[in-house]
Amino acid sequence: MAEPAQPILGSTLLATALAKTEPEFVPVSTSCATLDDALHGGFRYGEITSLAGASGMGKTLISLHAIASHLIAHPAGEAAIIDTTGSFSPLRLRDIIVCRLHQTGLVRYQQSGYVYEKVSVEVKVESLESLRARAAEMLDRVKVMRVFDFAGVIEAIGEARDLCERNDHSSREVETERVHKREEVANSEDEEDEVTFSKEPEDKHAQDKETSSGGSLQMIVVDNIGNLVTNAMSKNQTEGLQPLLKSPLTIPRANDSFSALALLTHSLRILSHLTTSNSLCTLLVNGIVSNTSSTKSSFHGRAYHPSDNVSIFASNSGKPALGRTYTYLIDTSIFLSMVPKTQDDAEVAFGGRTGTLISVGTLEVLKDRYGEREGEWGVFEILEGVELQGVG
């Protein structure tokens, strides 16, 4: 008969939790303290996060800062960018990495037990030439895939899957070889027949870095997912897709919104499986649509309807594009917008007052499938086109 499980003291569980100070996956920082606070540390690995907003709201900038954070935090980590618009700029990403490396008080999050706490990391000040050289080396770990339709997206996801499997296989081979080297059996002719072990390396972190020196794809950014749907609705994209699909189901012709939605659903399901099975941090850049059913209200004559407004700010009448089906296929939905910075700016924007209008960006968490971030929000400013600064 099996014996009952022995009770464990709460103090023992607490000590075990506090001992977990270096998790394998710390959330990816946005480099902005207010946004990281709203996201409880940043973008999570193993989840698909959607960044929705109008043009110029900072969607791509935030995603590039996330890539920079990943590359800096993981010396052997890799990232993939699936570019659907042809707007990716390597110079912009390089400047963002340089900006991040130049910061002397970079804020990161470190796990203490089950809670993420802020830690300040002092970065050594270097010359601009040295920082650019380091940034250029980091760009070697960024893979850019230019695609034009859903067929290209599926091929790009397949390449990412092959890269993850290849890296995982290489890591297992290195670990097996290391175990064999560490364990040595004494010769049977010796006086003492025993098993001896070689001396463990003094720097365990150096050993781990050596194991992961082959690189590992842990982040995917799709910019812009909405552009694919627009293209799918304007022309037929199913030709050439069938050889990529290992399913006997017939994909409808992409000549209307329903067919485009079917292609979107199929692609995101493949991407979701890849994200969860390999613990990737996947970011999807999306646009917004206006609430056509909005009616006028008392907010300075601005047209909106509370039931249709997904934002907590009454002046934001838009909502993420691609509909509810898209929302069901992602894990976290983020809405980006611009609002007046002060009450005086609001009077200039909506009250007819003359003066200079100063706006700030807002980030709102509309959905969080696995956490408690829903309803959180943060305010930020964009400085010189590359830096994110918190407000408030």
Side-chain angles (χ1 to χ4, degrees):
M1 180 177 179
E3 296 182 359
Q6 297 297 324
I8 302 177
L9 295 177
S11 59
T12 303
L13 295 175
L14 177 61
T16 303
L18 293 177
K20 300 163 62 176
T21 57
E22 295 186 2
E24 184 178 1
F25 299 110
V26 176
V28 182
S29 172
T30 64
S31 81
C32 180
T34 55
L35 301 188
D36 284 344
D37 288 341
L39 297 172
H40 293 191
F43 302 115
R44 296 172 179 154
Y45 289 92
E47 297 184 9
I48 295 181
T49 301
S50 174
L51 298 171
S55 178
M57 295 296 105
K59 308 182 298 295
T60 300
L61 178 61
I62 292 176
S63 64
L64 292 179
H65 268 280
I67 292 177
S69 296
H70 174 72
L71 297 177
I72 294 173
H74 303 275
E78 298 178 354
I81 300 177
I82 301 178
D83 182 14
T84 70
T85 61
S87 60
F88 170 73
S89 172
L91 292 177
R92 188 183 187 190
L93 179 55
R94 185 204 63 179
D95 292 342
I96 290 174
I97 296 175
V98 169
C99 175
R100 298 293 303 280
L101 293 174
H102 184 68
Q103 295 174 356
T104 58
L106 183 63
V107 176
R108 296 178 185 171
Y109 282 77
Q110 181 173 344
Q111 187 177 10
S112 177
Y114 297 105
V115 180
Y116 289 98
E117 298 178 348
K118 287 183 180 179
V119 293
S120 180
V121 180
E122 295 296 329
V123 181
K124 182 180 179 181
V125 178
E126 304 178 31
S127 64
L128 180 59
E129 292 76 11
S130 176
L131 292 176
R132 285 181 173 176
R134 291 179 58 190
E137 292 179 357
M138 292 184 182
L139 288 178
D140 290 338
R141 296 185 276 126
V142 179
K143 305 181 184 302
V144 182
M145 309 175 188
R146 177 70 171 101
V147 302
F148 301 91
D149 49 31
F150 280 109
V153 170
I154 295 177
E155 288 182 350
I157 295 175
E159 292 179 7
R161 181 184 63 248
D162 294 341
L163 183 59
C164 290
E165 293 176 352
R166 183 164 59 251
N167 290 336
D168 183 61
H169 180 69
S170 300
S171 299
R172 287 196 300 267
E173 287 184 345
V174 172
E175 180 66 21
T176 302
E177 182 179 356
R178 188 175 65 183
V179 171
H180 287 319
K181 287 182 178 180
R182 185 180 64 180
E183 186 173 323
E184 298 177 357
V185 181
N187 194 307
S188 59
E189 296 180 357
D190 296 340
E191 295 181 359
E192 296 181 357
D193 189 9
E194 60 180 0
V195 177
T196 60
F197 297 90
S198 61
K199 184 179 179 181
E200 291 288 341
E202 296 180 359
D203 189 356
K204 183 177 182 299
H205 295 285
Q207 183 185 44
D208 293 338
K209 289 181 180 180
E210 180 182 356
T211 302
S212 60
S213 61
S216 175
L217 179 64
Q218 295 174 332
M219 171 170 283
I220 296 178
V221 175
V222 181
D223 186 8
N224 179 298
I225 190 69
N227 185 62
L228 293 172
V229 178
T230 302
N231 293 340
M233 293 176 62
S234 62
K235 61 181 180 180
N236 177 31
Q237 291 190 6
T238 57
E239 296 181 3
L241 265 177
Q242 198 61 38
L244 300 175
L245 306 178
K246 297 180 180 180
S247 172
L249 298 178
T250 301
I251 302 299
R253 295 181 62 84
N255 53 8
D256 52 34
S257 59
F258 297 102
S259 302
L261 183 60
L263 293 173
L264 173 66
T265 302
H266 180 76
S267 300
L268 288 185
R269 283 177 176 173
I270 299 176
L271 184 59
S272 176
H273 176 72
L274 178 66
T275 299
T276 55
S277 60
N278 294 277
S279 296
L280 306 181
C281 177
T282 301
L283 304 180
L284 305 180
V285 177
N286 187 22
I288 65 170
V289 294
S290 300
N291 288 324
T292 56
S293 60
S294 299
T295 58
K296 288 188 177 182
S297 184
S298 58
F299 185 78
H300 300 293
R302 183 63 181 263
Y304 83 102
H305 193 281
S307 61
D308 294 332
N309 196 355
V310 298
S311 173
I312 63 174
F313 300 99
S315 59
N316 295 333
S317 58
K319 60 183 179 182
L322 305 182
R324 294 184 179 180
T325 302
Y326 172 75
T327 305
Y328 295 145
L329 297 171
I330 61 177
D331 301 309
T332 304
S333 177
I334 293 175
F335 184 71
L336 299 172
S337 61
M338 286 286 182
V339 297
K341 185 174 184 179
T342 64
Q343 182 176 353
D344 293 337
D345 295 319
E347 291 291 338
V348 174
F350 308 113
R353 181 177 176 178
T354 58
T356 303
L357 172 63
I358 301 178
S359 299
V360 292
T362 62
L363 178 148
E364 304 175 60
V365 182
L366 303 182
K367 171 192 174 181
D368 184 11
R369 188 192 303 273
Y370 302 110
E372 300 177 350
R373 300 177 297 178
E374 187 169 329
E376 298 281 358
W377 58 280
V379 184
F380 66 96
E381 289 181 317
I382 300 176
L383 304 180
E384 298 181 358
V386 295
E387 185 176 355
L388 296 172
Q389 177 176 287
V391 177

